[in-house]
Amino acid sequence: MKKLLFPMLVAMSFTACINDTTEEIPVVELKKFEIEASVEQTRTNLDVANGALGILWAPNENIGVFGSTNQMFTSNNTTPAGKATFSGESDDPQYAYYPYCEEATDLNAVPFYLNGEQQMVDGEPVINEIDLKVGQIKTDGDGTFSCKFKQCLTLLKFVLDPTGSEVENLALDGIALTADDPNTSAAESLCGDFLVDISTGKLVPAVDGYADTINLTFEDKPTMNGKVNGWMMVNPVFEAGESITITVFASGAGKSYVGYNSYNLKKTLNAGGAYSLPLKLSDFTFESLDAPQLLTFELHAADNTGKILSTQ
């Protein structure tokens, strides 16, 4: 799959601020400058009209810029756009990253949370808080600066074909992706809390344990009377040959259904890659989950002299 590349103009302005203290502090000269940046597959917003993958910056996006400190820069566009201008203040900009983290103080250990509960809303993925990318700011020698962001995660596109399946014409409630082998990196760090080295884009799990499943919920519950698409962001830890299980949740006519199918990945999922996973639901094994009926009853103490729970 070809990567989409869009140029982005990032304008950053810097103003001086010197505090009057009793200690000697180094004087840092702050300058105004513009940074011309390009981004590989900037996915803060996805333009999915007509099934196409469009790459857009959402309005009021915040990126982080590391000089001697971590600073926030905000985009000025009022509508989703392929190019955006960011403004903010910094002393010596070296690296930029998205999304911005106010708590970050160490360039090599920026906190990042890849949510294991992701959403599709009105046919589009909500990924603006988890689309991690980093870039090094460089000077071009003529007073201008450039920054090329690098995507750190993998984008998966599920294409569900319900034709001939038990859930054709039912509502799609959600999809789950699970790493099957507990001894792989995917089973330990598919999602969750990470520390990111902004200079390299490498993610390191912040806590030990298993995070082997990501759930994707469809808020509008689209009817599966034709192919349905869904997008999910994952940590790029899957290797070719590893096994995954896809679970599909559907509902209709007062019943709920869950279906499973397992696959062996033919490719290693790389950072910055966008991969399509066609899912033929007629190959899935579905089970009907009838909702339990709740019965009402009355318990009269006068008619039940025995103890229900011991107080001894």
Side-chain angles (χ1 to χ4, degrees):
M1 177 175 291
K2 293 182 179 179
K3 293 184 178 180
L4 304 180
L5 186 65
F6 289 89
M8 178 190 69
L9 181 64
V10 182
M12 299 184 175
S13 61
F14 305 87
T15 57
C17 178
I18 301 176
N19 295 323
D20 184 12
T21 67
T22 57
E23 299 179 1
E24 271 192 39
I25 58 174
V27 177
V28 179
E29 183 181 2
L30 304 182
K31 300 179 180 180
K32 295 181 180 180
F33 38 131
E34 293 183 343
I35 296 180
E36 186 179 82
S38 60
V39 184
E40 295 183 359
Q41 294 194 341
T42 306
R43 296 183 293 243
T44 55
N45 267 17
L46 287 183
D47 180 6
V48 295
N50 302 316
L53 177 61
I55 309 302
L56 304 173
W57 280 103
N60 298 315
E61 292 277 18
N62 294 324
I63 64 172
V65 173
F66 261 100
S68 60
T69 60
N70 174 42
Q71 299 293 332
M72 181 178 72
F73 283 67
T74 304
S75 64
N76 299 327
N77 52 304
T78 57
T79 59
K83 297 180 181 180
T85 298
F86 289 77
S87 60
E89 298 180 354
S90 181
D91 58 344
D92 182 25
Q94 297 293 322
Y95 291 92
Y97 69 96
Y98 177 91
Y100 171 69
C101 176
E102 184 178 4
E103 293 76 22
T105 58
D106 184 351
L107 169 70
N108 305 119
V110 173
F112 171 71
Y113 179 63
L114 177 54
N115 200 334
E117 300 293 333
Q118 300 180 23
Q119 282 188 308
M120 291 285 296
V121 177
D122 295 329
E124 297 187 8
V126 181
I127 60 172
N128 56 319
E129 294 183 356
I130 58 175
D131 186 19
L132 177 67
K133 49 185 160 282
V134 301
Q136 184 174 8
I137 300 171
K138 298 180 179 180
T139 178
D140 297 333
D142 58 355
T144 62
F145 292 78
S146 63
C147 178
K148 185 176 182 179
F149 281 92
K150 175 178 69 173
Q151 301 290 155
C152 301
L153 302 179
T154 298
L155 176 66
L156 300 180
K157 178 184 179 182
F158 300 98
V159 183
L160 288 77
D161 183 357
T163 305
S165 71
E166 297 177 55
V167 295
E168 186 175 9
N169 295 317
L170 298 184
L172 176 60
D173 298 329
I175 303 170
L177 181 150
T178 302
D180 291 338
D181 188 345
N183 298 315
T184 61
S185 296
E188 298 176 350
S189 59
L190 192 58
C191 58
D193 289 293
F194 297 90
L195 295 176
V196 183
D197 186 340
I198 301 302
S199 65
T200 64
K202 183 179 179 180
L203 287 79
V204 177
V207 294
D208 294 330
Y210 286 93
D212 61 356
T213 299
I214 295 181
N215 296 305
L216 178 64
T217 302
F218 289 73
E219 185 179 78
D220 51 344
K221 300 182 183 297
T223 300
M224 291 188 288
N225 53 10
K227 291 183 179 181
V228 180
N229 298 329
W231 283 265
M232 178 186 290
M233 299 290 287
V234 303
N235 189 17
V237 287
F238 281 116
E239 299 289 339
E242 290 186 7
S243 176
I244 62 172
T245 294
I246 303 296
T247 307
V248 174
F249 302 91
S251 61
K255 294 183 178 181
S256 296
Y257 299 83
V258 59
Y260 310 89
N261 203 16
S262 295
Y263 302 86
N264 288 324
L265 293 173
K266 295 181 179 180
K267 295 181 178 181
T268 295
L269 303 186
N270 296 315
Y275 301 88
S276 179
L277 279 69
L279 304 177
K280 191 175 181 181
L281 298 189
S282 58
D283 293 336
F284 280 58
T285 301
F286 280 93
E287 301 174 1
S288 174
L289 304 176
D290 293 332
Q293 294 182 348
L294 298 178
L295 303 178
T296 60
F297 66 95
E298 294 180 350
L299 179 63
H300 298 283
D303 299 330
N304 295 271
T305 57
K307 292 181 180 179
I308 299 174
L309 294 176
S310 174
T311 59
Q312 300 300 321

